[in-house]
Amino acid sequence: MKSSAFRQTITLVKKDILLELRQKYAFYGILLYIISTVFVINLMINKPEEKIWNALFWVVQLFVAVNAVAKSFLQENRGRLLYFYSLVHPRSFIVAKLIYNIILMSVMTLITIVCCMMFLGNPVTSFLYFMGVSLLGGISLSLLFTMLAAIAAQANQNAALMAIMGFPIMLPLLMLLSNIAKSSFITVFQPGLPKMFLMLGSMDILIIALSLVLFPFLWKD
C-alpha cells in the first residue's frame, strides 16, 4: 500500500513537471514578472539600504508564490479532478502538489535572488546563509499557498478566497522570514535566531499536517 502511494505521488509529480515543461508560457510569465518587478523597483529607488532591500525581497517572494503556486490547483478543472479522484488516493495527490510546488518555488527563489542582486545591489554579507533562508522561506510560502489553493479550488476556483484566507497566516510568516534573514546583513549574532527557526519549522509541519488531514475531506466534495 505504501509503495503504491509512493508510486502514485512520484507519477503525479512527473506529470506536473512535464506539463510545466510543455507549457513554457507559464514559467516564462512568472520569470518575466520577477524581472520586470525588480527592474521597476530599481528605477524607483535604485540601490536600497539593507532593511528596505530585505523587505522588498520578501514582498517579491510573496507575489511570486501567489502567481507560481496558486495555478497548480486553479488550473485543474472539475473533470480532471474527477478523473484523478477515480485513480489516486487524495493524500498522494496533495503530497505530489506539495513536492512539485516546493521544486517550482525553489527555482523561482534562486531566480529572484539573482535578479535582486543584479538590479538592487548586493548588501548581503553572508550569501550562503541568505540563500539557505530564502530557500526555506520559499518552501514555507509554497506549502502555505498549496494548502490555500486546494481549499480555494473547491470554491468554484475562487482565487480571491485564497488571498483572503492566506492574509492572517501570511503576515506573521513574512515577518518571521524577514527577521531570520536579517542575520545575513549583519555580523552580530541574533539571540532569538534558533527560536525563530524552530517556529518556522513548526509552522511548516503544521501546514503539511493540515493539508494531509483536510484535503481528503475536500477531495470528496
Side-chain angles (χ1 to χ4, degrees):
M1 184 69 179
K2 289 184 178 179
S3 61
S4 175
F6 178 77
R7 284 197 300 269
Q8 289 178 358
T9 302
I10 297 301
T11 302
L12 289 169
V13 172
K14 289 180 179 178
K15 182 268 297 181
D16 284 332
I17 293 175
L18 287 174
L19 282 176
E20 191 69 47
L21 292 175
R22 289 176 183 175
Q23 302 173 356
K24 293 182 180 180
Y25 61 86
F27 178 84
Y28 290 143
I30 300 170
L31 181 61
L32 177 62
Y33 173 84
I34 295 172
I35 296 173
S36 59
T37 301
V38 177
F39 181 70
V40 169
I41 293 173
N42 171 261
L43 293 178
M44 296 175 67
I45 57 177
N46 197 11
K47 309 291 184 183
E49 61 180 12
E50 296 171 359
K51 291 182 179 180
I52 297 177
W53 196 99
N54 188 33
L56 290 172
F57 173 81
W58 290 110
V59 170
V60 173
Q61 279 284 84
L62 170 64
F63 287 103
V64 169
V66 172
N67 284 279
V69 176
K71 67 180 180 62
S72 63
F73 272 97
L74 300 182
Q75 70 182 358
E76 304 281 7
N77 56 45
R78 291 283 180 179
R80 189 181 298 175
L81 288 175
L82 182 61
Y83 174 70
F84 287 134
Y85 179 82
S86 63
L87 290 179
V88 300
H89 192 276
R91 288 197 176 91
S92 298
F93 188 82
I94 189 63
V95 170
K97 289 292 185 183
L98 290 170
I99 294 172
Y100 167 73
N101 286 329
I102 285 174
I103 296 171
L104 179 62
M105 194 60 198
S106 297
V107 173
M108 293 300 170
T109 297
L110 295 175
I111 294 173
T112 305
I113 292 174
V114 172
C115 290
C116 286
M117 290 185 173
M118 284 178 59
F119 291 106
L120 304 179
N122 182 16
V124 177
T125 57
S126 180
F127 178 75
L128 291 178
Y129 174 84
F130 180 76
M131 180 180 290
V133 172
S134 299
L135 289 173
L136 288 175
I139 290 171
S140 298
L141 290 171
S142 70
L143 293 175
L144 172 61
F145 283 103
T146 301
M147 182 186 71
L148 295 176
I151 297 172
Q154 304 303 317
N156 298 321
Q157 309 288 327
N158 193 342
L161 179 63
M162 184 184 69
I164 294 170
M165 291 188 302
F167 188 75
I169 311 173
M170 174 186 66
L171 283 180
L173 178 59
L174 283 179
M175 292 176 64
L176 182 61
L177 290 170
S178 178
N179 287 329
I180 293 175
K182 283 181 182 177
S183 294
S184 58
F185 299 91
I186 57 178
T187 56
V188 180
F189 177 74
Q190 290 181 262
L193 199 58
K195 185 177 180 180
M196 287 189 283
F197 272 108
L198 181 61
M199 290 175 61
L200 180 62
S202 300
M203 289 181 67
D204 291 345
I205 293 172
L206 179 61
I207 292 171
I208 294 172
L210 286 173
S211 300
L212 294 176
V213 172
L214 292 177
F215 187 74
F217 295 98
L218 296 171
W219 188 255
K220 293 178 181 178
D221 295 334

